[in-house]
Amino acid sequence: MKYLHLTWSNLRRKKLRTLLTLLSITVAFVLYGYLAAIRVGLSAGVDVAGADRLIVRHRVSIAQPLPQTYQARIARIPGVAAVIHQSWFGGIYQDPKNFFSQFPVEPESFLRMYPEYLLPEDQKQAWFRTRTGVIVGRATAKRFGWKVGDRIPIQATIWTKKDGGRVWDFDIVGIYDGAQKATDTTIMFLRYDYFDETRLFGTGNVGWFIVRVKDPDHAAEVAAAIDAEFANSSAETKAETEKAFVGGWARQIADIGTIIKAILSAVFFTILLVAGNTVAQSVRERTEELGVLKAMGFTNALVLALVLAESCLLACLGGGLGLALAWFLIARGDPTHGALNVFYFPVKDLAAGVVLALALGLVTGLIPAWQAGRLRIADALRKG
Amino acid sequence: MSVAESTLVQVQAVEKFYRRGSETVHVLEGIDLGVRAGEFLALMGPSGSGKSTLLNLLGGLDRPTKGTIEIGGERMDHLPDRPLAAWRARHIGFVFQFYNLLPVLTAERNVELPLLLTPLSRAERKRRVAIALAIVGLAHRAKHFPRQLSGGEQQRAGIARAIVTDPTLLLCDEPTGDLDRKAGDEVLNLLQALSRDHGKTVIMVTHDPHASARATRTVFLYKGQIVTEMPK
Ligand SMILES: Nc1ncnc2c1ncn2[C@@H]1O[C@H](COP(=O)(O)OP(=O)(O)OP(=O)(O)O)[C@@H](O)[C@H]1O
Ligand SMILES: [Mg+2]
């Protein structure tokens, strides 16, 4: 610790050079933070998908409806613990830009199926009582400034009402939170009974079913049994695990992940050269000073450690600043305003960033430090 | 006190070769030299005669090719790097021609550097730095950076740095070589006082007869050999 002053003073030797290097490291780490947040944003669904849940959709596409009567038949299939249905509402709030999903569901069974949606008991009860009641996730409520008790008009794009109107008025009775950070809290859930009675057409149909299996290890067999049940019917089904369902996404996300890794590698390789050059240059400039320190009795190991400390201090200052800035900026929200349902800087990636900064310091300092340590005093002093 | 007891530095049959490609350069040959404790020895000779090389050997910055060097009765010429560094920290104070202060540190921080290697507390380091700066007459310049000091002041700070650990031996390589007469005289006064009043043993390389006149003894080096010894 008593050498800290010396290390710090050496960094201040060429203030502009140090500052520029520091800035480039900072920028690299801000970028790192954003890319980490984008990656979780894209893969959020995949990470929280329940292994014990199946999605049963129309064989042709998820846009094709299934009869609600399937629900009872699915429930009878061995290995099925519970089954609920969801549908696609596809409404617009004020402006098509304000996109978020709305699903008609049956409140009680739905909340049992999704324990990751946290809703206070009184709001649950209010939803069970109120036919026009909806619950919205924290993210969407925040985005539009909605509170419990608000009545919000949603413009239908598909579902005209029986009275010919296309504007549905809903009452917000609850705002739910996610049990995990990666839980999607952008969706609005409305009541299926109200939806089904009020819409002009499509009555008795649902979008898809969600099935909870008794044993996740047998999920594939249960899925096969469900598809067999409806084979050769007018609406054949395709059942798969939630993970596999979002897995189609996941493959694309994996590709994006690869691109992100490539970008980061290029950025950090550049930073390595920039910071490495700064350290190497500053050590070369003071060969004589290092010789003087050794003449005083500083050991080779200590001189090596001092140079390494310098490069680590530089990298950690730049990295720390960059990570802190990224944390602050990311906490202010998704810069695309809604394209990513989940957007945060995971602590795991933050910790990895700290390790990365330290590694950057060590790697950039390694060669100059080794040279400084090896420097023979008589040679160093002759340079003067 | 017997002569043997008061001999601080004992150099015997020291040779130093450098290998430059295929040829061997003999920089020092058959050097025998004794320095008594408290002596102020001047080392003179033409450029390239090996003065700095000899001083480096005495200070443990380099090792002789042959021969032995004893300082304070202890052979140090064959010590490995790490104990040799520790030995230097304890016994040697260097003063350089171009002062060689770290430009990024204030005078007091420069003087403190050798004390960082000791287990002394911060307060104790500060106290010793203040004493060393007072001895060289720079107490009022403690917070100044080297570029804010004159050449003479920088060299006095360099001397403070060399004596702050109270070393056994003070080695000066042309300490006045870069100074004008007045500043040079101040530095010489200081070295003389350190030797005479504080009992320090000083070995000083110089080209300047005016400087060597202050020494208690002068030794001449010529082509790597000691040619005449003229006690003063
Ligand atoms: N590392 C080395 N490799 C090869 N030759 C060296 C080395 N160090 C010193 N020499 C040679 O040794 C000789 C003596 O050098 P030294 O620096 O001791 O001379 P000096 O008496 O101090 O000269 P000056 O008065 O110019 O400082 C020179 O010829 C120099 O070139
Ligand atoms: Mg010399």
Side-chain angles (χ1 to χ4, degrees), chain B residues 63-103:
Chain B
R63 296 187 185 84
T65 315
K66 284 184 190 158
T68 62
I69 301 174
E70 270 179 36
I71 290 176
E74 186 187 356
R75 258 195 77 178
M76 39 60 69
D77 54 83
H78 62 297
L79 287 177
D81 281 356
R82 189 176 270 272
L84 190 60
W87 178 86
R88 278 198 302 275
R90 221 179 51 248
H91 294 291
I92 302 295
F94 273 103
V95 178
F96 305 94
Q97 178 176 357
F98 299 105
Y99 336 124
N100 288 64
L101 300 173
L102 302 206

mmCIF file of all heavy atoms in Angstrom, chain B residues 63-103:
data_model
loop_
_atom_site.group_PDB
_atom_site.id
_atom_site.type_symbol
_atom_site.label_atom_id
_atom_site.label_comp_id
_atom_site.label_asym_id
_atom_site.label_seq_id
_atom_site.Cartn_x
_atom_site.Cartn_y
_atom_site.Cartn_z
ATOM 1 N N ARG B 63 28.807 -7.317 -10.657
ATOM 2 C CA ARG B 63 29.720 -8.217 -9.947
ATOM 3 C C ARG B 63 31.054 -8.280 -10.685
ATOM 4 O O ARG B 63 31.084 -8.235 -11.926
ATOM 5 C CB ARG B 63 29.127 -9.617 -9.857
ATOM 6 C CG ARG B 63 27.856 -9.670 -9.033
ATOM 7 C CD ARG B 63 27.388 -11.092 -8.833
ATOM 8 N NE ARG B 63 26.094 -11.111 -8.145
ATOM 9 C CZ ARG B 63 24.929 -10.974 -8.760
ATOM 10 N NH1 ARG B 63 24.885 -10.838 -10.070
ATOM 11 N NH2 ARG B 63 23.809 -10.979 -8.072
ATOM 12 N N PRO B 64 32.161 -8.376 -9.948
ATOM 13 C CA PRO B 64 33.468 -8.465 -10.609
ATOM 14 C C PRO B 64 33.605 -9.811 -11.325
ATOM 15 O O PRO B 64 32.988 -10.803 -10.929
ATOM 16 C CB PRO B 64 34.463 -8.370 -9.453
ATOM 17 C CG PRO B 64 33.692 -8.769 -8.238
ATOM 18 C CD PRO B 64 32.272 -8.403 -8.486
ATOM 19 N N THR B 65 34.411 -9.819 -12.387
ATOM 20 C CA THR B 65 34.665 -11.080 -13.087
ATOM 21 C C THR B 65 35.578 -11.959 -12.236
ATOM 22 O O THR B 65 35.404 -13.164 -12.159
ATOM 23 C CB THR B 65 35.332 -10.793 -14.448
ATOM 24 O OG1 THR B 65 34.633 -9.716 -15.084
ATOM 25 C CG2 THR B 65 35.287 -12.014 -15.340
ATOM 26 N N LYS B 66 36.566 -11.310 -11.594
ATOM 27 C CA LYS B 66 37.473 -12.022 -10.690
ATOM 28 C C LYS B 66 37.759 -11.148 -9.487
ATOM 29 O O LYS B 66 37.529 -9.932 -9.526
ATOM 30 C CB LYS B 66 38.802 -12.324 -11.396
ATOM 31 C CG LYS B 66 38.736 -13.474 -12.381
ATOM 32 C CD LYS B 66 40.135 -13.747 -12.940
ATOM 33 C CE LYS B 66 40.068 -14.723 -14.108
ATOM 34 N NZ LYS B 66 41.260 -14.609 -14.964
ATOM 35 N N GLY B 67 38.314 -11.757 -8.447
ATOM 36 C CA GLY B 67 38.700 -10.986 -7.271
ATOM 37 C C GLY B 67 37.588 -10.910 -6.255
ATOM 38 O O GLY B 67 36.491 -11.426 -6.469
ATOM 39 N N THR B 68 37.903 -10.264 -5.127
ATOM 40 C CA THR B 68 36.923 -10.188 -4.041
ATOM 41 C C THR B 68 36.752 -8.753 -3.568
ATOM 42 O O THR B 68 37.673 -7.938 -3.650
ATOM 43 C CB THR B 68 37.381 -11.024 -2.830
ATOM 44 O OG1 THR B 68 38.623 -10.479 -2.352
ATOM 45 C CG2 THR B 68 37.573 -12.484 -3.202
ATOM 46 N N ILE B 69 35.569 -8.472 -3.076
ATOM 47 C CA ILE B 69 35.294 -7.173 -2.456
ATOM 48 C C ILE B 69 34.655 -7.445 -1.103
ATOM 49 O O ILE B 69 33.686 -8.190 -1.011
ATOM 50 C CB ILE B 69 34.332 -6.330 -3.314
ATOM 51 C CG1 ILE B 69 34.913 -6.093 -4.704
ATOM 52 C CG2 ILE B 69 34.045 -4.995 -2.621
ATOM 53 C CD1 ILE B 69 33.971 -5.396 -5.661
ATOM 54 N N GLU B 70 35.243 -6.863 -0.058
ATOM 55 C CA GLU B 70 34.663 -6.976 1.279
ATOM 56 C C GLU B 70 34.285 -5.590 1.738
ATOM 57 O O GLU B 70 35.067 -4.657 1.604
ATOM 58 C CB GLU B 70 35.709 -7.533 2.255
ATOM 59 C CG GLU B 70 35.717 -9.037 2.363
ATOM 60 C CD GLU B 70 36.800 -9.499 3.330
ATOM 61 O OE1 GLU B 70 37.031 -8.810 4.344
ATOM 62 O OE2 GLU B 70 37.421 -10.533 3.044
ATOM 63 N N ILE B 71 33.116 -5.468 2.294
ATOM 64 C CA ILE B 71 32.722 -4.183 2.865
ATOM 65 C C ILE B 71 32.220 -4.427 4.274
ATOM 66 O O ILE B 71 31.351 -5.270 4.497
ATOM 67 C CB ILE B 71 31.679 -3.472 1.983
ATOM 68 C CG1 ILE B 71 32.374 -3.016 0.695
ATOM 69 C CG2 ILE B 71 31.090 -2.266 2.723
ATOM 70 C CD1 ILE B 71 31.500 -2.392 -0.332
ATOM 71 N N GLY B 72 32.867 -3.733 5.218
ATOM 72 C CA GLY B 72 32.549 -3.945 6.628
ATOM 73 C C GLY B 72 32.814 -5.381 7.032
ATOM 74 O O GLY B 72 32.073 -5.943 7.838
ATOM 75 N N GLY B 73 33.839 -5.986 6.429
ATOM 76 C CA GLY B 73 34.215 -7.344 6.791
ATOM 77 C C GLY B 73 33.339 -8.415 6.160
ATOM 78 O O GLY B 73 33.481 -9.596 6.445
ATOM 79 N N GLU B 74 32.424 -8.001 5.277
ATOM 80 C CA GLU B 74 31.483 -8.950 4.695
ATOM 81 C C GLU B 74 31.693 -9.006 3.182
ATOM 82 O O GLU B 74 31.710 -7.962 2.522
ATOM 83 C CB GLU B 74 30.053 -8.464 5.008
ATOM 84 C CG GLU B 74 28.961 -9.399 4.594
ATOM 85 C CD GLU B 74 27.567 -8.760 4.779
ATOM 86 O OE1 GLU B 74 27.481 -7.621 5.292
ATOM 87 O OE2 GLU B 74 26.583 -9.393 4.391
ATOM 88 N N ARG B 75 31.895 -10.210 2.666
ATOM 89 C CA ARG B 75 32.039 -10.326 1.210
ATOM 90 C C ARG B 75 30.674 -10.224 0.566
ATOM 91 O O ARG B 75 29.748 -10.935 0.913
ATOM 92 C CB ARG B 75 32.669 -11.674 0.857
ATOM 93 C CG ARG B 75 34.130 -11.553 0.510
ATOM 94 C CD ARG B 75 34.629 -12.800 -0.172
ATOM 95 N NE ARG B 75 34.226 -12.864 -1.563
ATOM 96 C CZ ARG B 75 34.593 -13.864 -2.366
ATOM 97 N NH1 ARG B 75 35.339 -14.853 -1.917
ATOM 98 N NH2 ARG B 75 34.207 -13.871 -3.627
ATOM 99 N N MET B 76 30.553 -9.302 -0.389
ATOM 100 C CA MET B 76 29.242 -9.130 -1.009
ATOM 101 C C MET B 76 29.279 -9.342 -2.521
ATOM 102 O O MET B 76 28.254 -9.327 -3.170
ATOM 103 C CB MET B 76 28.658 -7.750 -0.681
ATOM 104 C CG MET B 76 29.618 -6.563 -0.666
ATOM 105 S SD MET B 76 30.474 -6.211 -2.207
ATOM 106 C CE MET B 76 29.096 -5.638 -3.192
ATOM 107 N N ASP B 77 30.492 -9.581 -3.070
ATOM 108 C CA ASP B 77 30.606 -9.609 -4.531
ATOM 109 C C ASP B 77 29.964 -10.847 -5.150
ATOM 110 O O ASP B 77 29.738 -10.904 -6.330
ATOM 111 C CB ASP B 77 32.073 -9.530 -4.935
ATOM 112 C CG ASP B 77 32.897 -10.599 -4.257
ATOM 113 O OD1 ASP B 77 32.910 -11.723 -4.759
ATOM 114 O OD2 ASP B 77 33.510 -10.295 -3.207
ATOM 115 N N HIS B 78 29.675 -11.850 -4.324
ATOM 116 C CA HIS B 78 29.118 -13.075 -4.888
ATOM 117 C C HIS B 78 27.679 -13.312 -4.439
ATOM 118 O O HIS B 78 27.132 -14.373 -4.650
ATOM 119 C CB HIS B 78 29.985 -14.271 -4.487
ATOM 120 C CG HIS B 78 30.010 -14.468 -2.996
ATOM 121 N ND1 HIS B 78 30.539 -13.528 -2.146
ATOM 122 C CD2 HIS B 78 29.541 -15.463 -2.223
ATOM 123 C CE1 HIS B 78 30.399 -13.947 -0.900
ATOM 124 N NE2 HIS B 78 29.793 -15.113 -0.920
ATOM 125 N N LEU B 79 27.076 -12.315 -3.794
ATOM 126 C CA LEU B 79 25.689 -12.485 -3.331
ATOM 127 C C LEU B 79 24.737 -12.599 -4.524
ATOM 128 O O LEU B 79 24.920 -11.926 -5.532
ATOM 129 C CB LEU B 79 25.255 -11.283 -2.480
ATOM 130 C CG LEU B 79 25.835 -11.156 -1.077
ATOM 131 C CD1 LEU B 79 25.344 -9.854 -0.426
ATOM 132 C CD2 LEU B 79 25.434 -12.347 -0.228
ATOM 133 N N PRO B 80 23.722 -13.441 -4.416
ATOM 134 C CA PRO B 80 22.695 -13.481 -5.463
ATOM 135 C C PRO B 80 21.876 -12.179 -5.477
ATOM 136 O O PRO B 80 21.930 -11.403 -4.522
ATOM 137 C CB PRO B 80 21.799 -14.658 -5.065
ATOM 138 C CG PRO B 80 22.528 -15.378 -3.982
ATOM 139 C CD PRO B 80 23.483 -14.418 -3.360
ATOM 140 N N ASP B 81 21.092 -11.972 -6.544
ATOM 141 C CA ASP B 81 20.373 -10.707 -6.761
ATOM 142 C C ASP B 81 19.590 -10.203 -5.552
ATOM 143 O O ASP B 81 19.727 -9.056 -5.148
ATOM 144 C CB ASP B 81 19.402 -10.856 -7.941
ATOM 145 C CG ASP B 81 20.138 -10.738 -9.272
ATOM 146 O OD1 ASP B 81 21.360 -10.466 -9.238
ATOM 147 O OD2 ASP B 81 19.502 -10.926 -10.315
ATOM 148 N N ARG B 82 18.759 -11.097 -4.994
ATOM 149 C CA ARG B 82 17.832 -10.633 -3.968
ATOM 150 C C ARG B 82 18.548 -10.192 -2.684
ATOM 151 O O ARG B 82 18.326 -9.064 -2.219
ATOM 152 C CB ARG B 82 16.809 -11.725 -3.689
ATOM 153 C CG ARG B 82 15.675 -11.306 -2.806
ATOM 154 C CD ARG B 82 14.683 -12.434 -2.671
ATOM 155 N NE ARG B 82 13.664 -12.397 -3.694
ATOM 156 C CZ ARG B 82 12.527 -11.700 -3.566
ATOM 157 N NH1 ARG B 82 12.290 -11.001 -2.475
ATOM 158 N NH2 ARG B 82 11.632 -11.706 -4.509
ATOM 159 N N PRO B 83 19.438 -11.032 -2.129
ATOM 160 C CA PRO B 83 20.168 -10.549 -0.940
ATOM 161 C C PRO B 83 21.084 -9.371 -1.247
ATOM 162 O O PRO B 83 21.298 -8.516 -0.385
ATOM 163 C CB PRO B 83 20.978 -11.768 -0.490
ATOM 164 C CG PRO B 83 20.783 -12.814 -1.494
ATOM 165 C CD PRO B 83 19.683 -12.447 -2.407
ATOM 166 N N LEU B 84 21.550 -9.296 -2.491
ATOM 167 C CA LEU B 84 22.394 -8.165 -2.854
ATOM 168 C C LEU B 84 21.581 -6.866 -2.830
ATOM 169 O O LEU B 84 22.059 -5.828 -2.360
ATOM 170 C CB LEU B 84 22.998 -8.388 -4.254
ATOM 171 C CG LEU B 84 24.094 -7.411 -4.669
ATOM 172 C CD1 LEU B 84 25.279 -7.477 -3.710
ATOM 173 C CD2 LEU B 84 24.556 -7.690 -6.097
ATOM 174 N N ALA B 85 20.347 -6.948 -3.296
ATOM 175 C CA ALA B 85 19.470 -5.767 -3.256
ATOM 176 C C ALA B 85 19.234 -5.346 -1.814
ATOM 177 O O ALA B 85 19.291 -4.157 -1.486
ATOM 178 C CB ALA B 85 18.139 -6.075 -3.958
ATOM 179 N N ALA B 86 18.984 -6.323 -0.955
ATOM 180 C CA ALA B 86 18.768 -6.013 0.462
ATOM 181 C C ALA B 86 20.033 -5.407 1.069
ATOM 182 O O ALA B 86 19.966 -4.470 1.865
ATOM 183 C CB ALA B 86 18.360 -7.282 1.211
ATOM 184 N N TRP B 87 21.169 -5.943 0.649
ATOM 185 C CA TRP B 87 22.449 -5.418 1.146
ATOM 186 C C TRP B 87 22.640 -3.966 0.724
ATOM 187 O O TRP B 87 23.040 -3.113 1.522
ATOM 188 C CB TRP B 87 23.591 -6.303 0.615
ATOM 189 C CG TRP B 87 24.946 -5.813 1.034
ATOM 190 C CD1 TRP B 87 25.605 -6.098 2.196
ATOM 191 C CD2 TRP B 87 25.785 -4.928 0.291
ATOM 192 N NE1 TRP B 87 26.798 -5.443 2.233
ATOM 193 C CE2 TRP B 87 26.944 -4.707 1.079
ATOM 194 C CE3 TRP B 87 25.672 -4.285 -0.946
ATOM 195 C CZ2 TRP B 87 27.986 -3.889 0.646
ATOM 196 C CZ3 TRP B 87 26.697 -3.475 -1.378
ATOM 197 C CH2 TRP B 87 27.858 -3.276 -0.577
ATOM 198 N N ARG B 88 22.341 -3.672 -0.551
ATOM 199 C CA ARG B 88 22.444 -2.295 -1.045
ATOM 200 C C ARG B 88 21.553 -1.368 -0.241
ATOM 201 O O ARG B 88 21.956 -0.268 0.142
ATOM 202 C CB ARG B 88 21.988 -2.213 -2.512
ATOM 203 C CG ARG B 88 23.003 -2.594 -3.525
ATOM 204 C CD ARG B 88 22.629 -2.059 -4.907
ATOM 205 N NE ARG B 88 21.341 -2.514 -5.394
ATOM 206 C CZ ARG B 88 21.144 -3.669 -6.030
ATOM 207 N NH1 ARG B 88 22.150 -4.486 -6.244
ATOM 208 N NH2 ARG B 88 19.947 -3.991 -6.444
ATOM 209 N N ALA B 89 20.320 -1.829 -0.010
ATOM 210 C CA ALA B 89 19.370 -0.985 0.716
ATOM 211 C C ALA B 89 19.917 -0.630 2.096
ATOM 212 O O ALA B 89 19.695 0.467 2.593
ATOM 213 C CB ALA B 89 18.025 -1.700 0.837
ATOM 214 N N ARG B 90 20.645 -1.566 2.701
ATOM 215 C CA ARG B 90 21.117 -1.320 4.052
ATOM 216 C C ARG B 90 22.416 -0.518 4.104
ATOM 217 O O ARG B 90 22.609 0.329 4.957
ATOM 218 C CB ARG B 90 21.303 -2.659 4.780
ATOM 219 C CG ARG B 90 20.812 -2.534 6.205
ATOM 220 C CD ARG B 90 20.875 -3.738 7.089
ATOM 221 N NE ARG B 90 22.117 -4.438 7.171
ATOM 222 C CZ ARG B 90 22.303 -5.656 6.683
ATOM 223 N NH1 ARG B 90 21.310 -6.257 6.048
ATOM 224 N NH2 ARG B 90 23.448 -6.264 6.812
ATOM 225 N N HIS B 91 23.317 -0.772 3.132
ATOM 226 C CA HIS B 91 24.669 -0.238 3.273
ATOM 227 C C HIS B 91 25.072 0.872 2.325
ATOM 228 O O HIS B 91 26.071 1.531 2.559
ATOM 229 C CB HIS B 91 25.680 -1.393 3.119
ATOM 230 C CG HIS B 91 25.602 -2.392 4.221
ATOM 231 N ND1 HIS B 91 25.978 -2.106 5.507
ATOM 232 C CD2 HIS B 91 25.170 -3.672 4.238
ATOM 233 C CE1 HIS B 91 25.794 -3.168 6.271
ATOM 234 N NE2 HIS B 91 25.299 -4.133 5.519
ATOM 235 N N ILE B 92 24.365 1.037 1.227
ATOM 236 C CA ILE B 92 24.866 1.935 0.190
ATOM 237 C C ILE B 92 23.923 3.109 -0.071
ATOM 238 O O ILE B 92 22.707 2.944 -0.126
ATOM 239 C CB ILE B 92 25.064 1.167 -1.147
ATOM 240 C CG1 ILE B 92 26.034 0.001 -0.958
ATOM 241 C CG2 ILE B 92 25.563 2.108 -2.255
ATOM 242 C CD1 ILE B 92 27.460 0.434 -0.607
ATOM 243 N N GLY B 93 24.525 4.307 -0.224
ATOM 244 C CA GLY B 93 23.783 5.460 -0.715
ATOM 245 C C GLY B 93 24.447 5.948 -1.986
ATOM 246 O O GLY B 93 25.655 6.161 -2.006
ATOM 247 N N PHE B 94 23.658 6.061 -3.055
ATOM 248 C CA PHE B 94 24.207 6.506 -4.346
ATOM 249 C C PHE B 94 23.854 7.958 -4.631
ATOM 250 O O PHE B 94 22.721 8.379 -4.408
ATOM 251 C CB PHE B 94 23.623 5.664 -5.491
ATOM 252 C CG PHE B 94 24.400 4.412 -5.757
ATOM 253 C CD1 PHE B 94 23.937 3.183 -5.313
ATOM 254 C CD2 PHE B 94 25.594 4.462 -6.471
ATOM 255 C CE1 PHE B 94 24.646 2.031 -5.560
ATOM 256 C CE2 PHE B 94 26.315 3.306 -6.719
ATOM 257 C CZ PHE B 94 25.841 2.081 -6.260
ATOM 258 N N VAL B 95 24.849 8.677 -5.165
ATOM 259 C CA VAL B 95 24.576 10.030 -5.666
ATOM 260 C C VAL B 95 25.026 10.054 -7.123
ATOM 261 O O VAL B 95 26.142 9.646 -7.436
ATOM 262 C CB VAL B 95 25.341 11.094 -4.846
ATOM 263 C CG1 VAL B 95 25.090 12.486 -5.413
ATOM 264 C CG2 VAL B 95 24.936 11.029 -3.380
ATOM 265 N N PHE B 96 24.140 10.501 -8.008
ATOM 266 C CA PHE B 96 24.417 10.440 -9.444
ATOM 267 C C PHE B 96 24.732 11.815 -10.019
ATOM 268 O O PHE B 96 24.315 12.837 -9.487
ATOM 269 C CB PHE B 96 23.205 9.860 -10.180
ATOM 270 C CG PHE B 96 22.764 8.524 -9.660
ATOM 271 C CD1 PHE B 96 21.768 8.442 -8.688
ATOM 272 C CD2 PHE B 96 23.330 7.356 -10.124
ATOM 273 C CE1 PHE B 96 21.350 7.210 -8.194
ATOM 274 C CE2 PHE B 96 22.916 6.117 -9.644
ATOM 275 C CZ PHE B 96 21.923 6.051 -8.674
ATOM 276 N N GLN B 97 25.424 11.793 -11.169
ATOM 277 C CA GLN B 97 25.775 13.054 -11.815
ATOM 278 C C GLN B 97 24.526 13.872 -12.179
ATOM 279 O O GLN B 97 24.484 15.080 -11.986
ATOM 280 C CB GLN B 97 26.589 12.778 -13.083
ATOM 281 C CG GLN B 97 26.957 14.055 -13.830
ATOM 282 C CD GLN B 97 27.837 13.781 -15.040
ATOM 283 O OE1 GLN B 97 28.230 12.644 -15.303
ATOM 284 N NE2 GLN B 97 28.154 14.823 -15.782
ATOM 285 N N PHE B 98 23.513 13.176 -12.702
ATOM 286 C CA PHE B 98 22.314 13.903 -13.142
ATOM 287 C C PHE B 98 21.186 13.788 -12.130
ATOM 288 O O PHE B 98 20.013 13.805 -12.480
ATOM 289 C CB PHE B 98 21.883 13.425 -14.531
ATOM 290 C CG PHE B 98 22.947 13.662 -15.567
ATOM 291 C CD1 PHE B 98 23.706 12.603 -16.055
ATOM 292 C CD2 PHE B 98 23.227 14.948 -16.019
ATOM 293 C CE1 PHE B 98 24.705 12.833 -16.990
ATOM 294 C CE2 PHE B 98 24.225 15.178 -16.952
ATOM 295 C CZ PHE B 98 24.970 14.119 -17.444
ATOM 296 N N TYR B 99 21.550 13.655 -10.862
ATOM 297 C CA TYR B 99 20.640 13.665 -9.704
ATOM 298 C C TYR B 99 19.678 12.478 -9.702
ATOM 299 O O TYR B 99 19.453 11.879 -8.669
ATOM 300 C CB TYR B 99 19.847 14.976 -9.582
ATOM 301 C CG TYR B 99 20.502 16.166 -10.250
ATOM 302 C CD1 TYR B 99 19.841 16.911 -11.225
ATOM 303 C CD2 TYR B 99 21.813 16.531 -9.932
ATOM 304 C CE1 TYR B 99 20.448 17.979 -11.846
ATOM 305 C CE2 TYR B 99 22.437 17.599 -10.558
ATOM 306 C CZ TYR B 99 21.753 18.312 -11.527
ATOM 307 O OH TYR B 99 22.358 19.354 -12.150
ATOM 308 N N ASN B 100 19.077 12.202 -10.898
ATOM 309 C CA ASN B 100 18.172 11.056 -11.021
ATOM 310 C C ASN B 100 17.082 11.012 -9.962
ATOM 311 O O ASN B 100 16.813 9.973 -9.373
ATOM 312 C CB ASN B 100 18.955 9.739 -11.000
ATOM 313 C CG ASN B 100 19.723 9.554 -12.288
ATOM 314 O OD1 ASN B 100 20.616 10.340 -12.590
ATOM 315 N ND2 ASN B 100 19.358 8.567 -13.059
ATOM 316 N N LEU B 101 16.460 12.178 -9.746
ATOM 317 C CA LEU B 101 15.262 12.184 -8.907
ATOM 318 C C LEU B 101 14.092 11.755 -9.798
ATOM 319 O O LEU B 101 14.135 11.963 -11.007
ATOM 320 C CB LEU B 101 15.007 13.594 -8.368
ATOM 321 C CG LEU B 101 16.136 14.175 -7.523
ATOM 322 C CD1 LEU B 101 15.841 15.637 -7.193
ATOM 323 C CD2 LEU B 101 16.309 13.379 -6.240
ATOM 324 N N LEU B 102 13.062 11.148 -9.209
ATOM 325 C CA LEU B 102 11.877 10.819 -10.001
ATOM 326 C C LEU B 102 11.082 12.109 -10.205
ATOM 327 O O LEU B 102 10.668 12.737 -9.228
ATOM 328 C CB LEU B 102 10.994 9.770 -9.312
ATOM 329 C CG LEU B 102 11.588 8.417 -8.947
ATOM 330 C CD1 LEU B 102 10.479 7.362 -8.883
ATOM 331 C CD2 LEU B 102 12.654 7.952 -9.903
ATOM 332 N N PRO B 103 10.891 12.507 -11.459
ATOM 333 C CA PRO B 103 10.246 13.802 -11.722
ATOM 334 C C PRO B 103 8.806 13.886 -11.231
ATOM 335 O O PRO B 103 8.286 14.972 -11.027
ATOM 336 C CB PRO B 103 10.300 13.922 -13.250
ATOM 337 C CG PRO B 103 10.462 12.522 -13.748
ATOM 338 C CD PRO B 103 11.219 11.788 -12.695
#
